[in-house]
């Protein structure tokens, strides 16, 4: 029985979305499930992964992206809608449509993160990204090429991204992740690493595919 549970946890190595919440927790989402990650980043909290509806009642499955906002709220995106939560509780009045509420932002985004270097929000879709300014409450000019502007990250598209408690920005793609050094403005040396091993605490031969 233990091995079965362990295997289920360790195949959870590709994320739809990952974010922090105002209660200081980190959550990773995949399909209909969510895993709360240990604060040390080396395993999954007891009892996880769980169905999303058990933890974030009112959120849909198969999320596109999530981002922790400076106002203490967390925003979740799917298709042409978004949900705002306080911790794990969905605020009343959601979902709302992206169009009309996030000026300049497209639907069907892949990933989102507030970058530590300039405090702007970055939304990734396909091989490009949109930069959102809080003081303007809209996106900046056009959209930009992800590979060109994030040195060391050369994967084109992004599955999920977030800023962790250590102030670093993380990009997830497939079963691997890249740690971005906001101060140096490039990916730290030694990356990418395996998501399941480093974030879920799985051994080398579980939940991974050959490079
Ligand atoms: Ca995604």
């Amino acid at each position: 029985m233990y091995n079965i549970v362990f295997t289920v946890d360790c195949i959870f190595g590709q994320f739809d979305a990952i974010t922090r919440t105002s209660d200081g927790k980190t959550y990773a989402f995949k399909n209909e499930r969510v895993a709360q990650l240990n604060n040390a980043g080396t395993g999954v909290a007891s009892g996880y992964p769980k169905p999303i509806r058990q933890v974030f009642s009112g959120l849909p499955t198969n999320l596109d992206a999530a981002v922790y906002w400076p106002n203490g709220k967390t925003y979740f995106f799917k298709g042409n809608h978004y949900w705002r939560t306080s911790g794990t509780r969905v605020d009343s009045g959601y979902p709302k449509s992206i169009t009309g509420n996030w000026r300049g932002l497209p639907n069907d985004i892949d990933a989102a993160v507030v970058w530590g270097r300039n405090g702007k929000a970055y939304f990734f879709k396909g091989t490009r990204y949109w930069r959102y300014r809080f003081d303007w409450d809209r996106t900046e000019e056009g959209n930009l090429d992800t590979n060109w502007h994030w040195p060391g990250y050369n994967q084109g598209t992004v599955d999920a991204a977030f800023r962790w408690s250590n102030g670093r920005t993380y990009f997830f793609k497939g079963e691997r992740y890249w740690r971005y050094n906001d101060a140096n403005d490039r990916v730290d040396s030694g990356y990418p690493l395996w998501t399941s091993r480093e974030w879920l605490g799985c051994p080398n031969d579980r939940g991974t595919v050959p490079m």
Side-chain angles (χ1 to χ4, degrees):
M1 176 60 88
Y2 180 80
N3 283 337
I4 292 172
V5 173
F6 192 71
T7 300
V8 169
D9 286 352
C10 287
I11 61 173
F12 197 80
Q14 297 183 48
F15 300 155
D16 292 335
I18 183 170
T19 188
R20 299 174 70 200
T21 52
S22 58
D23 55 7
K25 308 291 189 186
T26 298
Y27 293 94
F29 299 80
K30 181 62 179 177
N31 297 334
E32 76 284 359
R33 297 189 301 157
V34 57
Q36 184 194 113
L37 305 183
N38 289 332
N39 285 337
T42 54
V44 175
S46 178
Y48 286 88
K50 298 178 179 179
I52 292 173
R53 65 179 183 277
Q54 279 188 12
V55 185
F56 291 84
S57 178
L59 275 192
T61 60
N62 299 96
L63 289 159
D64 287 345
V67 60
Y68 181 56
W69 213 248
N71 63 2
K73 302 290 187 179
T74 305
Y75 293 87
F76 295 86
F77 298 81
K78 179 177 179 176
N80 55 5
H81 284 91
Y82 73 101
W83 290 250
R84 193 184 75 188
T85 74
S86 305
T88 58
R89 183 177 53 81
V90 176
D91 289 338
S92 63
Y94 290 87
K96 295 180 178 181
S97 64
I98 293 173
T99 301
N101 289 298
W102 296 84
R103 291 188 295 164
L105 199 66
N107 294 326
D108 303 308
I109 63 169
D110 294 333
V113 64
V114 173
W115 195 34
R117 190 174 170 95
N118 59 14
K120 298 175 184 177
Y122 289 74
F123 292 86
F124 300 85
K125 178 178 179 176
T127 59
R128 308 188 74 78
Y129 67 86
W130 283 250
R131 198 164 48 197
Y132 200 91
R133 285 189 54 161
F134 304 109
D135 50 346
W136 295 358
D137 200 18
R138 65 162 298 126
T139 55
E140 288 186 341
E141 78 288 354
N143 54 74
L144 300 167
D145 182 83
T146 298
N147 276 356
W148 181 261
H149 289 276
W150 297 91
Y153 185 78
N154 56 0
Q155 302 298 299
T157 62
V158 182
D159 286 350
F162 86 128
R163 187 169 188 239
W164 201 34
S165 55
N166 61 2
R168 299 290 174 87
T169 300
Y170 293 84
F171 295 102
F172 297 81
K173 173 71 181 290
E175 300 201 36
R176 295 183 297 167
Y177 73 99
W178 288 250
R179 190 179 76 185
Y180 201 85
N181 188 314
D182 294 357
N184 295 341
D185 199 6
R186 66 175 305 106
V187 170
D188 280 325
S189 64
Y191 291 83
L193 294 173
W194 295 111
T195 300
S196 64
R197 187 171 63 199
E198 306 299 334
W199 291 94
L200 306 181
C202 300
N204 295 357
D205 58 345
R206 304 296 285 273
T208 60
V209 296
M211 289 184 75

